Amino acid sequence: MLIHVGDERNGTIDSYLAAALSTIAGALNAVGFLVAQSFTANMTGNLSAFADEVARGSWRTSVGFLLLLALFIGGAALAAAFISFGEQRGIRSIYAAAIAAEGGIVLALGLVLSSSESISHMVLVGSLSLVMGLQNAVTTLISSSRVRTTHVSGMATDIGIGLAALLSPGGSKDAALPKLRLHVLTLSAFACGGIGGAMLYDHVGTWLFALAGGCLLAIALPEVFRARQLPRSD
């Protein structure tokens, strides 16, 4: 799931990746909103909110939304640089290591939150925006842009395009159907993760972040060890 890259992948591998990481992303996005009233995977909304606050003259508030966007971009840039470094050296575990790093950050955030409620909301949503950008970059790069686990607007657009291809008399149904299934799965997993995360948060509170971090590590670390048993790529 986190070893094969680009054309080495098939629909089943992409589906597992989309389902697992979109579910976790949806949960983190939903609970981040419950805790701090800010979405951490919704950059379209954050940019719109920034523009709205600027128009109102609320400069201090607008900077917060702009910072979330910058952190999301920064997380994506860090992931891309990390992966480029690993690929240049033929390190097949580099994608799994990036997701493991995300899991470590989220786990640490959950432990800090659970031991002390003094952490600011801006630190929370900023950290989550960073890891959402990181995760989206990893899934985009490893799948040649077929999987984007936090890009809901893009997935909804692709679903619409896929439906049009299926319904059009001259549409290429054989090519459109696998893509449509993947996008529907990704969108559904994100929504289910949000619902499940919100419900679970009512029972475990901020320990949910530690649980999410543990799940990311459980996904990534076996892949890291498995990739190290394989020969380096050229």
Side-chain angles (χ1 to χ4, degrees):
M1 185 167 68
L2 290 169
I3 298 173
H4 300 292
V5 182
D7 292 337
E8 295 178 355
R9 303 176 66 81
N10 56 39
T12 300
I13 295 173
D14 281 344
S15 295
Y16 282 134
L17 179 71
L21 295 190
S22 291
T23 299
I24 296 172
L28 291 175
N29 189 56
V31 177
F33 181 79
L34 289 176
V35 175
Q37 288 71 56
S38 290
F39 288 115
T40 54
N42 184 8
M43 292 303 111
T44 303
N46 285 337
L47 188 57
S48 297
F50 163 75
D52 185 52
E53 294 300 330
V54 169
R56 294 171 182 233
S58 302
W59 294 101
R60 184 174 181 179
T61 305
S62 69
V63 169
F65 289 111
L66 190 62
L67 180 59
L68 294 181
L69 177 61
L71 286 167
F72 187 95
I73 293 171
L78 285 172
F82 182 65
I83 289 166
S84 177
F85 174 86
E87 286 188 328
Q88 288 171 10
R89 288 155 181 80
I91 303 172
R92 301 200 63 170
S93 62
I94 196 66
Y95 290 93
I99 295 299
E102 178 195 2
I105 293 170
V106 176
L107 175 61
L109 185 64
L111 294 175
V112 170
L113 279 168
S114 300
S115 62
S116 173
E117 297 293 337
S118 62
I119 186 172
S120 73
H121 286 171
M122 193 61 217
V123 171
L124 171 62
V125 295
S127 299
L128 292 178
S129 292
L130 181 77
V131 298
M132 288 296 97
L134 184 154
Q135 183 190 116
N136 205 41
V138 172
T139 57
T140 298
L141 290 170
I142 197 172
S143 68
S144 297
S145 301
R146 290 187 296 271
V147 179
R148 295 175 182 263
T149 53
T150 70
H151 190 43
V152 173
S153 298
M155 284 184 282
T157 302
D158 290 336
I159 288 171
I161 293 171
L163 288 172
L166 288 180
L167 297 174
S168 298
S172 179
K173 297 179 175 59
D174 290 340
L177 191 56
K179 294 178 183 179
L180 182 59
R181 285 173 177 162
L182 178 62
H183 295 313
V184 169
L185 171 65
T186 306
L187 194 65
S188 300
F190 190 90
C192 290
I195 295 168
M199 294 175 65
L200 193 56
Y201 177 73
D202 287 337
H203 297 285
V204 301
T206 53
W207 280 105
L208 181 132
F209 294 106
L211 179 61
C215 288
L216 287 166
L217 289 171
I219 291 168
L221 289 180
E223 296 282 276
V224 170
F225 297 132
R226 190 160 69 91
R228 288 181 176 176
Q229 307 302 315
L230 300 173
R232 286 174 173 247
S233 57
D234 295 329

